[in-house]
Amino acid sequence: MSDQVRVRFAPSPTGFLHIGGVRTALFNFLFARKEKGNFLLRIEDTDRERSRPEFENEILDSLKWLGLTWDGEILRQSERLSVYQKAAQELIQNDFAYRIEEAGKIAVKFKIPKEKVEFQDLVHGPIEFDAALLDDLVIIKSDGYPTYHFACVVDDHHMGITHVIRGDDHISNTPRQILIYEALGWDTPKFGHLPLVFGSDKTPLSKRHGAVSLSAYQKEGYLPEGIVNYLALLGWSSGGDEEMFTLKELIGKFQIEGINKTNACFDPEKLKWINGEHIRRLSNSDYLERLGRFLEGSNVVNRPRFKEIALLYKERIRTFSELMEQASFFFREAIEYDLRACAKHFKDLETKRRLEKLSRTLEKLEDFSDLSKLELCVRKTAEELALEGRALIHPVRVAISGRSVTPGLFEVMSLLGKEEVLKRIQYVIINFNQLHAGGE
């Protein structure tokens, strides 16, 4: 076996790439790059009924998007049936396997030796299995295709894999595979089993915990940097308190010794927080370019002052999809009013009279481009009404946005423009009773 580290990621193209699979790929990639080794890719497509080209394409595109580039050519199991048949024949000849008949067709079974199997797990330490408790193992099915255990061993050997890093759910598979290695006279790689990813309810991650496929997170506008950073922290620690890492920094810090032995808990809110931090780390030009790609096909990006609006939210959003949720009032002709905000800030007819006075005052401004003049106008009107500034600012914010929380009011007013702001304030004045009643 080569001294150079060689690891692999071996997904099955029977569905979209699961977030747990992404983390397995990431840990293999980090280990390979840290050790100046090779990160190889194998497509385990022997399930003829469920394997689909579109799933394989999605897996490859996802890895590229994350920056997890692989070395060398992709190996596909469906193209290697003769290799598995040859290895099975060798086992039969050496009395380690035998043929059986299944529905008129011939399958091959591996004889499980009745002995103890021990191995040193890179994460969990020494592990021992009693193979006497295991039944003989089918390695070639009656349709001529190999089973997972057999194809995995044959491929890992031919690919020169030195370390097999995979999920804890494979621990029980390892003794069977070690026995096959030994029967074929091949060197056994080192095994490391990663803690599984669970939801907050301590059950395996599934759709009820939120999105689980990587493509779903892409559609929500997550950055690859945010996903990579968060997944690296699921079951691994750098040894310090720092949580924000680039892929390059993770490669420099990654150690298998830093992998935890206990299962990891997936926290969607923590993922959003980390993703938001990575959004804020982007340069303004990179942020706008990526946001433009995310919104490609939407006419929003062609709206006046879109870039300025987008930059106004750069410090506030955690995903690109949140921009459209928070800033929708900029792009809609008829905005939706939060009835709770109306109830809080449109309490009585006095508020209506205040908005009428402010509207007349704002009419006198030439435009809303000068934020200092705009703020002075609003605050002076509040002073004339014997109010604190916020007593006028909050109702105005709800009137022009429909909500109680936005970026700075005067920036919002400036970006909406004089005509639109006055139109929206006038709408609230005309419909004040209805909005007030709707909030009760």
Side-chain angles (χ1 to χ4, degrees):
M1 185 175 291
S2 170
D3 291 334
Q4 184 186 45
V5 166
R6 292 172 66 86
V7 297
R8 47 71 170 178
F9 178 52
S12 297
T14 55
F16 294 115
L17 187 57
H18 188 279
I19 206 73
V22 176
R23 192 196 59 160
T24 299
L26 174 62
F27 280 21
N28 276 277
F29 176 86
L30 294 176
F31 180 62
R33 294 294 176 258
K34 177 63 181 293
E35 300 298 326
K36 303 295 189 294
N38 294 123
F39 172 64
L40 307 178
L41 182 60
R42 179 169 76 231
I43 302 297
E44 298 192 337
D45 57 350
T46 56
D47 187 334
R48 292 182 292 173
E49 293 184 2
R50 297 170 58 217
S51 294
R52 296 285 185 273
E54 58 267 30
F55 292 138
E56 178 179 329
N57 292 333
E58 186 268 343
I59 290 169
L60 301 183
D61 290 342
S62 295
L63 293 176
K64 292 174 185 175
W65 182 69
L66 291 169
L68 307 185
T69 53
W70 57 88
D71 302 302
E73 297 294 322
I74 299 172
L75 184 145
R76 293 178 178 82
Q77 289 186 334
S78 60
E79 300 170 354
R80 293 171 50 79
L81 299 185
S82 63
V83 177
Y84 309 128
Q85 291 286 351
K86 182 179 179 181
Q89 183 60 34
E90 181 179 339
L91 289 175
I92 293 171
Q93 289 175 349
N94 292 318
D95 199 30
F96 289 114
Y98 56 93
R99 295 182 178 88
I100 60 169
E101 184 176 322
E102 288 186 350
K105 296 183 178 180
I106 301 300
V108 179
K109 270 192 170 184
F110 175 71
K111 296 179 181 179
I112 297 290
K114 305 308 178 184
E115 61 185 47
K116 301 283 186 181
V117 179
E118 300 177 355
F119 66 96
Q120 184 73 21
D121 192 278
L122 297 170
V123 176
H124 298 282
I127 293 179
E128 178 181 295
F129 277 88
D130 185 358
L133 302 176
L134 304 175
D135 296 328
D136 287 354
L137 179 70
V138 174
I139 56 175
I140 300 291
K141 296 178 288 186
S142 58
D143 61 3
Y145 275 70
T147 58
Y148 163 75
H149 290 292
F150 192 54
C152 180
V153 169
V154 173
D155 289 338
D156 282 345
H157 169 72
H158 287 166
M159 294 171 76
I161 299 302
T162 60
H163 297 73
V164 174
I165 301 172
R166 55 191 181 184
D168 269 354
D169 50 334
H170 285 283
I171 286 183
S172 61
N173 296 333
T174 301
R176 296 176 174 88
Q177 294 171 2
I178 289 174
L179 291 171
I180 295 173
Y181 274 106
E182 293 174 348
L184 288 166
W186 295 341
D187 291 335
T188 304
K190 296 179 181 178
F191 291 91
H193 293 90
L194 308 175
L196 300 180
V197 180
F198 281 66
S200 57
D201 57 359
K202 309 302 181 185
T203 61
L205 195 63
S206 66
K207 289 182 179 180
R208 68 176 177 276
H209 301 112
V212 293
S213 70
L214 183 64
S215 57
Y217 289 100
Q218 288 180 268
K219 291 175 183 176
E220 288 184 32
Y222 283 83
L223 300 180
E225 295 94 329
I227 291 176
V228 163
N229 189 162
Y230 178 69
L231 291 183
L233 301 178
L234 279 182
W236 173 82
S237 171
S238 66
D241 296 329
E242 188 179 358
E243 293 186 303
M244 299 301 298
F245 300 102
T246 64
L247 185 58
K248 183 177 180 180
E249 290 168 343
L250 287 169
I251 291 171
K253 291 181 175 291
F254 188 79
Q255 298 282 350
I256 283 185
E257 291 76 13
I259 297 175
N260 301 327
K261 297 181 180 181
T262 55
N263 293 327
C265 182
F266 185 82
D267 182 351
E269 288 303 308
K270 182 67 173 291
L271 170 58
K272 282 187 176 180
W273 177 80
I274 286 179
N275 197 71
E277 291 298 307
H278 279 282
I279 285 177
R280 284 177 272 288
R281 287 185 172 196
L282 298 175
S283 67
N284 286 349
S285 60
D286 193 13
Y287 166 73
L288 291 172
E289 181 183 347
R290 296 200 200 192
L291 182 58
R293 289 201 301 268
F294 175 73
L295 295 172
E296 190 174 5
S298 167
N299 62 0
V300 169
V301 295
N302 299 318
R303 296 290 289 269
R305 312 193 77 174
F306 170 76
K307 290 183 179 180
E308 294 163 274
I309 294 169
L311 289 171
L312 186 63
Y313 281 88
K314 184 183 176 188
E315 298 297 317
R316 304 174 71 90
I317 61 173
R318 299 172 298 172
T319 67
F320 286 153
S321 63
E322 284 189 349
L323 173 69
M324 299 314 300
E325 295 167 9
Q326 295 183 27
S328 60
F329 66 89
F330 277 104
F331 311 112
R332 292 176 178 170
E333 292 297 323
I335 61 175
E336 298 177 2
Y337 286 88
D338 181 342
L339 297 183
R340 289 175 299 179
C342 291
K344 183 175 182 180
H345 298 293
F346 299 158
K347 292 181 178 179
D348 49 45
L349 289 178
E350 185 60 34
T351 302
K352 177 182 177 181
R353 289 190 283 271
R354 292 166 183 170
L355 291 174
E356 289 172 337
K357 179 175 177 57
L358 177 63
S359 181
R360 292 192 296 269
T361 306
L362 291 173
E363 280 276 12
K364 299 174 184 178
L365 287 181
E366 183 177 349
D367 59 47
F368 287 2
S369 59
D370 190 324
L371 294 184
S372 60
K373 288 183 180 180
L374 190 57
E375 181 174 1
L376 180 62
C377 180
V378 174
R379 293 192 182 280
K380 186 176 180 181
T381 302
E383 186 178 331
E384 292 172 358
L385 291 166
L387 300 171
E388 292 185 15
R390 62 185 179 181
L392 188 56
I393 286 173
H394 290 319
V396 173
R397 174 179 282 112
V398 177
I400 66 175
S401 71
R403 57 189 66 194
S404 58
V405 178
T406 68
L409 174 64
F410 308 111
E411 288 90 340
V412 170
M413 292 176 72
S414 179
L415 288 172
L416 281 171
K418 178 179 177 179
E419 180 182 352
E420 187 64 25
V421 167
L422 291 175
K423 183 175 77 172
R424 294 184 182 192
I425 292 176
Q426 192 61 33
Y427 175 86
V428 169
I429 291 170
I430 294 171
N431 297 279
F432 191 86
N433 291 339
Q434 179 183 347
L435 289 170
H436 170 68
E440 292 181 344

